[in-house]
Amino acid sequence: IKIRGDFFMNVMEHLRKKNPLIHCITNYVTACDVANAVLAVGGSPIMADAPEESSEVTGMADALVINLGMLNSGKREAMFRSCKKAGELGLPIVLDPVGVGISAFRRETAAELLKAFPFAAIRGNLSEISYLCGLPAAGHQLLHPQSQSRRQGLQQRHIRIAESRFP
């Protein structure tokens, strides 16, 4: 699918006018990058991963982003509480299944989240998305020799793929 540049400009203009509050439950490695990315597109980030406040914060937000990186029991509970609140309010939820295939804890958490909540988008690399679709993991390289067959398998499951290539 080709998307024209003016589409993105219109989206950016809308975001800057609305200045949505985005509740991010992310990992500490990328928290600053996530906050800066939200700011760059016109949103306002709020980071809150304590279960005691997560659903309250989500209740004030316009969207929720959850990231499975550096997952622990407390963050997991916060994710479920926030996703439940977002669902009650009809807020979009974005899942970033960081390293989903690396441990049983992440695999089980992702499976339970996907079963319980409707995600507006799932943002991941080819390996993470392949794993969620039941395809063999692609490793760390997006341009793995078998990437084309994986892409076709994802497209057959109605998964839309957007990727960036850097020189």
Side-chain angles (χ1 to χ4, degrees):
I1 297 176
K2 297 260 184 196
I3 299 176
R4 294 182 9 202
D6 59 340
F7 171 80
F8 288 109
M9 296 304 293
N10 291 336
V11 169
M12 295 294 290
E13 183 179 331
H14 175 75
L15 285 171
R16 289 197 173 107
K17 285 180 183 175
K18 185 166 180 354
N19 187 239
L21 181 64
I22 310 300
H23 178 194
C24 305
I25 301 176
T26 188
N27 68 63
Y28 301 116
V29 174
T30 63
C32 185
D33 293 334
V34 170
N36 285 333
V38 171
L39 289 167
V41 297
S44 293
I46 180 74
M47 308 317 208
D49 64 2
E52 298 83 3
E53 70 172 353
S54 63
S55 65
E56 183 179 357
V57 172
T58 300
M60 298 182 332
D62 296 298
L64 173 65
V65 176
I66 61 173
N67 171 308
L68 297 184
M70 297 182 69
L71 189 61
N72 59 53
S73 297
K75 189 181 290 187
R76 181 185 188 283
E77 183 178 345
M79 289 177 180
F80 277 88
R81 288 182 183 191
S82 288
C83 284
K84 181 179 180 204
K85 183 61 141 181
E88 291 168 0
L89 298 173
L91 302 178
I93 308 168
V94 176
L95 172 64
D96 185 352
V98 175
V100 66
I102 200 74
S103 71
F105 186 50
R106 289 185 200 208
R107 290 189 297 271
E108 291 163 6
T109 298
E112 290 173 29
L113 285 165
L114 289 166
K115 185 176 179 181
F117 305 106
F119 288 92
I122 299 173
R123 179 246 161 262
N125 63 36
L126 186 58
S127 183
E128 292 159 349
I129 301 301
S130 293
Y131 178 84
L132 292 177
C133 293
L135 297 171
H140 296 293
Q141 299 297 319
L142 289 178
L143 302 177
H144 189 276
Q146 297 172 347
S147 292
Q148 188 59 36
S149 64
R150 285 193 181 85
R151 284 187 185 92
Q152 290 169 350
L154 292 171
Q155 290 168 346
Q156 289 171 354
R157 290 169 172 82
H158 305 286
I159 304 296
R160 297 295 173 240
I161 301 166
E163 71 179 56
S164 297
R165 293 180 190 222
F166 299 97

